[in-house]
Amino acid sequence: MKKIAYIILSVLVLVSCSDFQKVMKSEDIALKFKTGEELFEAGKYNKANRLFEQIVPKYRGKPQAEKLMYMHSMCFYKMEQYYYSGYRFEQFVNSYPKSEKAEEAAFLSAKSYYEESPIYSKDKEETLKAIEKIQLFINGFPDSKYLSEANILVKELDFKLEKKSFEVAKQYNHIYDYKASIKSFSNFLLDFPGSSLKEDALYYKFNSEYNLAILSIKSLKQQRIANALADYKVLVNAFPETKFLDEATELKEELEKEQITDNKS
């Protein structure tokens, strides 16, 4: 029985593929629209889109164009081809700003740019573009049912930028370029004052100041020790029970000893 069922299924698949190929080769754009719509509703987005690609130009200016353009865009989104869905949904909104689908299309366009944003360690240009697109959606649809999700997406994208900036500064610390690390962490703290990474940033900035001071020539050491001690105070004032307290306090005590020794000499 299983063998018979498999044969029947195989025949149905072959017939279905044969029918699809006939529609693909047909000159009947109405048939392609109807078949594409049926495939779309059945969740067969790849096949549906192959038909839509053939007929989109031929339906421009026609009443069915709005629905076709929406389905065409959605196919790209469902197939996770976000570069194309972002662009196509954007086109849809520009072409049909009063459509009942305009709000959804605008959100999915913005979300497509979010999906295209790479991990934090990669180039940040796509992330900046995604933030811009989602912010434009929020401004254009301030009462949207998608507003809560849009705000979450922006928050995630903002954190990517924070994380990238933080990791760049931390990397300078790890490769012993303490001046660059101090400057980068200073910029990070100015750019992201409410960051969840603030405690870590304050510690690593202090750590870089400590190392720079310890390694300094005599004429620069006292000022750099003072800078490092000031950074220690900023850390413990902001985070009295910081997870770095023991290590930071040990470094601070070393700086104070070095300060006294250097003054005596």
Side-chain angles (χ1 to χ4, degrees):
M1 287 295 292
K2 286 184 178 179
K3 188 174 182 180
I4 294 172
Y6 177 76
I7 292 170
I8 292 172
L9 180 61
S10 297
V11 171
L12 289 173
V13 169
L14 287 171
V15 171
S16 174
C17 289
S18 176
D19 290 343
F20 177 73
Q21 290 301 325
K22 286 179 182 177
V23 176
M24 282 285 291
K25 293 175 183 178
S26 171
E27 297 296 323
D28 188 344
I29 64 172
L31 175 62
K32 291 184 177 185
F33 187 103
K34 181 176 181 296
T35 305
E37 185 177 7
E38 290 171 355
L39 290 167
F40 178 85
E41 295 298 337
K44 298 179 180 180
Y45 303 111
N46 187 40
K47 282 189 173 182
N49 222 28
R50 288 173 66 189
L51 291 172
F52 295 154
E53 290 280 4
Q54 290 186 343
I55 62 176
V56 163
K58 297 175 182 178
Y59 270 94
R60 285 201 183 99
K62 295 184 178 182
Q64 303 96 324
E66 180 182 334
K67 184 173 185 178
L68 177 59
M69 195 170 178
Y70 170 82
M71 291 190 295
H72 185 42
S73 304
M74 185 62 80
C75 281
F76 283 121
Y77 185 82
K78 292 293 187 180
M79 292 189 296
E80 299 182 2
Q81 294 184 18
Y82 299 118
Y83 176 83
Y84 295 106
S85 63
Y87 174 70
R88 293 295 185 185
F89 274 126
E90 201 165 28
Q91 277 190 318
F92 178 89
V93 175
N94 291 334
S95 299
Y96 306 102
K98 295 183 179 180
S99 169
E100 62 178 17
K101 296 288 189 181
E103 180 183 333
E104 179 191 13
F107 174 69
L108 291 179
S109 175
K111 191 173 181 181
S112 294
Y113 285 100
Y114 159 84
E115 297 289 358
E116 278 287 286
S117 171
I119 60 174
Y120 75 85
S121 60
K122 302 296 183 182
D123 187 82
K124 67 180 182 180
E125 292 308 312
E126 293 298 323
T127 300
L128 290 169
K129 183 190 290 185
I131 292 173
E132 178 188 357
K133 296 294 183 180
I134 296 174
Q135 197 58 57
L136 285 171
F137 167 77
I138 291 171
N139 295 341
F141 299 88
D143 300 316
S144 173
K145 62 182 179 180
Y146 302 108
L147 190 62
S148 178
E149 186 177 355
N151 284 325
I152 290 171
L153 297 182
V154 169
K155 189 174 181 180
E156 289 181 13
L157 292 167
D158 279 337
F159 184 72
K160 279 188 183 182
L161 296 179
E162 289 181 30
K163 184 71 172 171
K164 182 174 180 63
S165 179
F166 174 83
E167 291 296 336
V168 167
K170 188 176 177 182
Q171 182 63 23
Y172 282 130
N173 176 276
H174 287 342
I175 62 174
Y176 316 120
D177 190 347
Y178 299 118
K179 287 184 180 180
S181 181
I182 293 164
K183 183 177 180 180
S184 295
F185 275 122
S186 295
N187 290 336
F188 173 86
L189 292 164
L190 284 172
D191 293 339
F192 308 104
S195 173
S196 60
L197 298 170
K198 183 175 181 178
E199 180 181 356
D200 295 69
L202 287 173
Y203 169 72
Y204 281 106
K205 182 173 183 287
F206 163 63
N207 180 279
S208 294
E209 292 275 18
Y210 160 84
N211 281 291
L212 184 64
I214 293 298
L215 296 171
S216 291
I217 59 175
K218 184 176 178 63
S219 62
L220 299 175
K221 184 169 284 190
Q222 285 300 313
Q223 182 57 56
R224 288 176 175 175
I225 288 175
N227 292 342
L229 291 173
D231 270 6
Y232 172 83
K233 288 182 181 179
V234 172
L235 170 64
V236 295
N237 285 340
F239 300 95
E241 298 179 5
T242 176
K243 59 188 176 183
F244 300 108
L245 186 60
D246 290 344
E247 187 174 352
T249 300
E250 184 178 337
L251 298 182
K252 187 228 10 169
E253 290 172 353
E254 287 183 30
L255 287 168
E256 289 172 338
K257 289 178 183 176
E258 189 73 21
Q259 191 176 43
I260 293 170
T261 301
D262 193 57
N263 282 332
K264 285 183 178 179
S265 63

